[in-house]
């Protein structure tokens, strides 16, 4: 019997496993990097062991240090979570060799399926070797791990070599394994997967399907169970092939078999020999705790002959710290508030939030930028989708820029709400429209301005103002707000037109727009951001400080990170063309390509491989050729 579990992971999944361990009466041990010293998963564990350093390669990918940590803390079992070493057969073997219980599949099964190249061979498929124009487009893919890391779509043969290099570097950093392979890229279709669970006695459950088609940069954004609208015969085929794959390798524990469904056919993609990020939607539909079942199987328990029956529908959205204005680059910084306000009655849809952060925590630059997974279970798909959009919109998410608006807009988009139109090309068709600022942002800016003015009036005396006859002006992002303080208190809004200030306090403003009255909650923070309901606004001075101006053609770091590569042979004085890759930054386990903003001459190059840079740091300067 297991008594103490060490989770060889961090963040949300570590917290998720600890929650089940507490319910089962098991003690818990966390491991943490220096960047995670005060992280939520460390605070929630009964004991914690430091892994010196911050980069994954020197901390969460060091299996030898994690095994030592488990022994030192008195743990008798290790749960790998997902990512990092979760699909590393050598690590699984090292855990067992140390006399610890491995809460996962046998090393041989991991070896057979965790490498996507070997998994395809086992399923009678083979990756491409000599790629020609006729094979395009192709997909470069990491043999280990997932989450879109080490993955590139190649549409031009000339780009293949550079994309292979980038994918290898990204895979090595994220998973400690730089092996990649090339396979045909099937345009469109749906990403559908089957949850399997097997015990040591030969029982294999298939716990339904999940649809994970809404992906951006091959990273899943919204997932649901069951996959809607699939023909019964195809679902049965998916179950049979998934169970056969598990039995073929003597699989034990929780795993997922992934397919691309196109033209009514299922194309095998890979088998993930671990718990998936999106496992909560399956848990909600089937009424099970997959982590508890993983532990039970690891202790040798026998699963019932039949899996439980499904009920209802569940949808999950991944809330990320990322900025759409800078190409969806990951963001870091203080998460001032992370609160989900669920107005529900006893019979309302169930809302679940899995997170590795709490209000006041700092999001570091070294790891995945996911803040939380928000899940809703309801009797129908339509009810779950509607409720999830509402919960996300009402949430207080204050701090770094997030993809919250994208999630809400995606859930409410007619194409997503029609199961017959689901497909992996959703964001390719709709991302630009979904990322546009919402109409209400201008009114949120008015609320921010009046709240700030109300606070100033309180600080300087109720009648304080500049010249009474002139408009006061405040600028938030792209929105300029003009107003005048009234002699008896209150304000008149002069721009934008059609807005009447009903009441204003430093933290709450009531506005009337076209006869409709709405309240806005306002929170401001030292770095110059103001959060008004679901809107995040940046305070901007009316006039630009000349000291903040940069030379034309300056390439600034869009995020804090590490310079990992500079283009081969690149030197000051070189001629470059618009869009040409110049250097690569690594942040949050992914590589980000920095390209020339225009055709011209490289006049400065400050990027050096290995150099840590902050957001806004000058990396290079390209002087544009005269027209």
């Amino acid at each position: 019997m297991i008594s103490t579990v060490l989770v060889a992971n961090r963040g949300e999944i570590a917290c998720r496993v600890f929650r089940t361990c507490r319910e089962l009466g098991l003690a818990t041990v966390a491991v943490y990097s220096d960047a995670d010293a005060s992280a939520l998963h460390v605070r929630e564990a009964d004991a914690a062991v430091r892994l010196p350093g911050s980069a994954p390669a020197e901390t969460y990918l060091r299996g030898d240090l994690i095994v030592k940590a488990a022994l030192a803390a008195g743990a008798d079992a290790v749960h790998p979570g997902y990512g990092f070493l979760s699909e590393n057969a050598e690590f699984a073997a090292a855990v067992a060799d140390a006399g610890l219980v491995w809460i996962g599949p046998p090393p041989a099964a991991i070896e057979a399926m965790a490498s996507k190249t070997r998994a395809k061979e086992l399923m009678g498929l083979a990756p491409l070797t000599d790629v020609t124009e006729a094979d395009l487009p192709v997909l470069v893919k990491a043999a280990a791990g997932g989450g879109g890391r080490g993955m590139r779509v190649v549409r031009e043969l000339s780009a293949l070599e550079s994309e292979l290099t980038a994918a290898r570097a990204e895979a090595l950093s994220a998973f400690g394994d730089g092996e990649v392979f090339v396979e045909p890229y099937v345009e469109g279709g749906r990403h559908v997967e089957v949850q399997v669970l097997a015990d040591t006695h030969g029982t294999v459950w298939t716990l339904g399907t999940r649809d994970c088609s809404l992906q951006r940069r091959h990273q899943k954004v919204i997932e649901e169970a069951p996959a809607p609208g699939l023909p019964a015969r195809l679902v049965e085929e998916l179950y049979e092939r998934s169970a056969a794959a598990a039995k073929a390798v003597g699989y034990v524990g929780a795993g997922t078999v992934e397919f691309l469904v196109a033209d009514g056919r299922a194309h095998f993609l890979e088998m993930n020999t671990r718990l998936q990020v999106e496992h909560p939607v399956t848990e909600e539909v089937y009424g099970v705790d997959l982590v508890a079942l993983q532990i039970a199987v690891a202790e040798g328990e026998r699963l019932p002959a039949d899996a439980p029956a499904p009920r209802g529908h569940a949808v999950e959205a991944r809330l990320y710290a990322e900025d759409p204005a800078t190409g969806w680059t990951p963001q870091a910084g203080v998460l001032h508030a992370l609160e989900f306000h669920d107005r529900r009655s006893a019979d309302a849809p169930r809302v679940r939030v899995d997170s590795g952060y709490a209000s006041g925590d700092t999001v570091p630059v070294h790891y995945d930028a996911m803040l939380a997974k928000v899940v809703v279970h309801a009797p129908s798909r339509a009810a779950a989708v509607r409720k999830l959009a509402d919960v996300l919109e009402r949430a207080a998410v204050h701090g770094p820029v997030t993809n919250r608006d994208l999630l809400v807009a995606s859930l409410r988009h007619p194409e997503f709400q029609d199961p017959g139109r689901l497909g992996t090309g959703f964001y390719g068709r709709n991302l630009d429209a979904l990322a546009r600022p919402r109409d209400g942002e201008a009114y949120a800016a008015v609320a921010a301005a009046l709240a700030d003015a109300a606070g100033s009036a309180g600080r300087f005396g109720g009648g304080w103002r500049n010249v009474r006859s002139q408009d006061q002006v405040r600028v938030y992002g792209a929105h300029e707000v003009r107003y005048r303080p009234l002699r008896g208190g209150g304000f008149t809004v002069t721009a934008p037109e059609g807005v009447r200030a009903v009441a204003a306090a430093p933290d709450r403003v009531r506005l009337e727009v076209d006869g409709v009255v709405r309240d806005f909650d306002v929170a401001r923070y030292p770095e110059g951001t103001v959060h008004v309901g679901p809107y995040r606004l940046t305070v901007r001075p009316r006039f630009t400080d000349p000291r903040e101006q940069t030379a034309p053609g300056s390439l600034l770091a869009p995020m804090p990170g590490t310079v990992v590569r500079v283009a081969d042979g690149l030197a000051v004085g070189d001629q470059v063309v618009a869009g040409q890759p110049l250097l690569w930054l690594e942040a949050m386990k992914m590589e980000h390509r920095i390209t020339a903003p225009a055709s011209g001459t490289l006049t400065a190059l400050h990027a050096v491989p290995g150099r840590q840079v902050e957001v806004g740091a000058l990396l290079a300067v390209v002087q544009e050729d005269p027209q």
Side-chain angles (χ1 to χ4, degrees):
M1 295 292 289
I2 295 170
S3 63
T4 304
V5 176
L6 178 143
V7 177
N9 219 297
R10 64 174 300 280
E12 174 269 325
I13 186 58
C15 294
R16 160 72 189 91
V17 176
F18 291 158
R19 183 172 69 245
T20 289
C21 288
R22 285 194 298 271
E23 292 172 355
L24 296 177
L26 301 175
T28 55
V29 179
V31 289
Y32 65 93
S33 68
D34 291 339
D36 277 340
S38 59
L40 182 62
H41 78 277
V42 178
R43 306 198 301 268
E44 290 200 343
D46 296 312
V49 181
R50 175 181 175 239
L51 304 175
S54 291
E58 58 190 5
T59 55
Y60 299 109
L61 290 172
R62 284 288 302 274
D64 57 333
L65 296 183
I66 293 173
V67 170
K68 288 180 181 178
L71 296 173
D76 50 15
V78 172
H79 192 297
Y82 53 71
F84 293 130
L85 294 171
S86 62
E87 295 181 279
N88 187 301
E90 291 183 5
F91 177 57
V95 168
D97 290 345
L100 303 167
V101 176
W102 170 251
I103 304 176
I110 297 176
E111 185 70 29
M113 282 296 190
S115 169
K116 296 171 179 58
T117 52
R118 286 183 283 280
K120 286 184 175 294
E121 291 168 359
L122 186 68
M123 301 294 286
L125 305 169
L128 294 172
T129 51
D130 298 320
V131 180
T132 67
E133 289 282 354
D135 297 316
L136 298 176
V138 296
L139 184 66
V140 177
K141 203 169 186 180
R149 296 170 187 84
M151 194 178 295
R152 300 284 193 281
V153 176
V154 180
R155 300 183 183 277
E156 297 180 6
L157 203 56
S158 60
L160 179 60
E161 199 56 44
S162 63
E163 297 291 22
L164 283 167
T165 300
R168 289 188 187 106
E170 196 169 272
L172 183 63
S173 172
F175 314 117
D177 184 346
E179 182 188 352
V180 299
F181 65 96
V182 180
E183 66 180 6
Y185 180 59
V186 180
E187 301 274 13
R190 293 172 58 179
H191 186 117
V192 177
E193 57 191 36
V194 176
Q195 176 72 57
V196 299
L197 184 73
D199 63 19
T200 57
H201 307 281
T203 301
V204 177
W205 282 0
T206 50
L207 287 170
T209 57
R210 294 189 288 253
D211 191 295
C212 309
S213 296
L214 262 65
Q215 302 178 13
R216 195 174 47 74
R217 293 188 306 212
H218 308 290
Q219 194 164 43
K220 298 166 186 173
V221 178
I222 295 175
E223 304 104 343
E224 58 183 304
L230 293 180
R233 59 154 189 85
L234 184 57
V235 172
E236 192 59 35
E237 177 191 341
L238 293 172
Y239 289 168
E240 290 174 359
R241 292 177 65 181
S242 299
K247 291 176 181 178
V249 295
Y251 199 79
V252 173
T256 299
V257 185
E258 301 195 352
F259 300 88
L260 184 67
V261 175
D263 300 324
R265 298 173 55 205
H267 306 266
F268 173 78
L269 291 175
E270 63 194 46
M271 181 174 184
N272 290 312
T273 55
R274 55 173 167 83
L275 202 63
Q276 291 280 88
V277 177
E278 59 272 18
H279 75 273
V281 292
T282 297
E283 292 184 322
E284 294 300 314
V285 168
Y286 281 85
V288 298
D289 182 332
L290 287 172
V291 173
L293 289 169
Q294 284 183 299
I295 293 171
V297 165
E299 290 182 323
E301 288 191 27
R302 184 187 295 271
L303 293 172
D306 297 319
R311 55 181 182 80
H313 201 94
V315 186
E316 171 182 294
R318 301 189 191 187
L319 182 67
Y320 280 93
E322 56 185 12
D323 186 1
T326 59
W328 302 95
T329 54
Q331 302 296 294
V334 178
L335 187 62
H336 298 290
L338 184 65
E339 300 167 2
F340 294 88
H341 308 289
D342 176 23
R343 303 184 307 175
R344 64 190 294 260
S345 59
D347 58 348
R350 168 179 155 82
V351 178
R352 165 178 170 177
V353 178
D354 286 9
S355 178
Y357 295 99
S359 298
D361 286 348
T362 296
V363 182
V365 302
H366 307 89
Y367 315 113
D368 187 87
M370 187 172 71
L371 302 179
K373 301 181 309 194
V374 187
V375 188
V376 168
H377 177 259
S380 69
R381 181 179 191 266
V385 169
R386 181 172 55 224
K387 179 66 176 181
L388 180 55
D390 182 70
V391 169
L392 286 166
E393 188 167 49
R394 294 179 186 278
V397 187
H398 298 173
V401 185
T402 72
N403 68 335
R404 186 248 298 272
D405 285 355
L406 173 71
L407 297 175
V408 173
S410 299
L411 291 163
R412 290 175 175 165
H413 195 282
E415 187 175 328
F416 175 75
Q417 293 186 345
D418 179 359
R421 300 171 68 187
L422 284 174
T424 56
F426 177 80
Y427 284 122
R429 293 186 295 272
N430 301 305
L431 185 60
D432 289 344
L434 290 168
R436 290 183 192 132
R438 289 187 287 172
D439 294 339
E441 189 172 279
Y443 304 129
V446 174
L450 298 187
D452 195 34
S456 298
R459 290 193 293 272
F460 294 100
W464 180 88
R465 47 196 167 272
N466 286 340
V467 181
R468 185 180 305 134
S469 61
Q470 294 183 348
D471 285 348
Q472 303 295 302
V473 180
R474 283 186 168 84
V475 181
Y476 298 88
H479 304 286
E480 182 178 87
V481 180
R482 293 177 176 269
Y483 64 92
R484 294 180 186 177
L486 300 176
R487 185 178 298 276
F491 304 93
T492 293
V493 179
T494 57
E497 296 180 352
V499 181
R500 185 173 75 88
V502 179
D507 59 352
R508 192 172 181 83
V509 171
R510 175 169 290 179
L511 300 177
E512 180 181 312
V513 181
D514 297 329
V516 179
V517 175
R518 287 189 172 87
D519 289 329
F520 297 82
D521 292 319
V522 182
R524 62 183 59 79
Y525 298 100
E527 66 268 24
T529 58
V530 182
H531 289 264
V532 183
Y535 302 97
R536 181 187 188 275
L537 304 170
T538 303
V539 181
R540 197 160 58 84
R542 266 188 88 194
F543 305 103
T544 303
D545 186 339
R547 293 172 299 178
E548 295 179 356
Q549 294 181 346
T550 57
S554 295
L555 287 171
L556 306 181
M559 73 209 82
T562 303
V563 178
V564 290
R565 286 192 294 132
V566 174
D568 291 343
L570 187 67
V572 172
D574 286 354
Q575 291 293 307
V576 299
V577 297
Q580 176 182 335
L582 302 182
L583 56 103
W584 288 260
L585 284 181
E586 181 184 88
M588 298 182 173
K589 298 198 293 183
M590 296 191 76
E591 277 198 2
H592 304 272
R593 183 168 56 185
I594 309 298
T595 62
S599 297
T601 304
L602 184 70
T603 59
L605 181 61
H606 301 287
V608 178
R611 176 189 168 197
Q612 297 256 343
V613 296
E614 295 299 320
V615 63
L618 182 62
L619 302 173
V621 179
V622 175
Q623 183 176 331
E624 187 174 357
D625 288 336
Q627 297 296 322

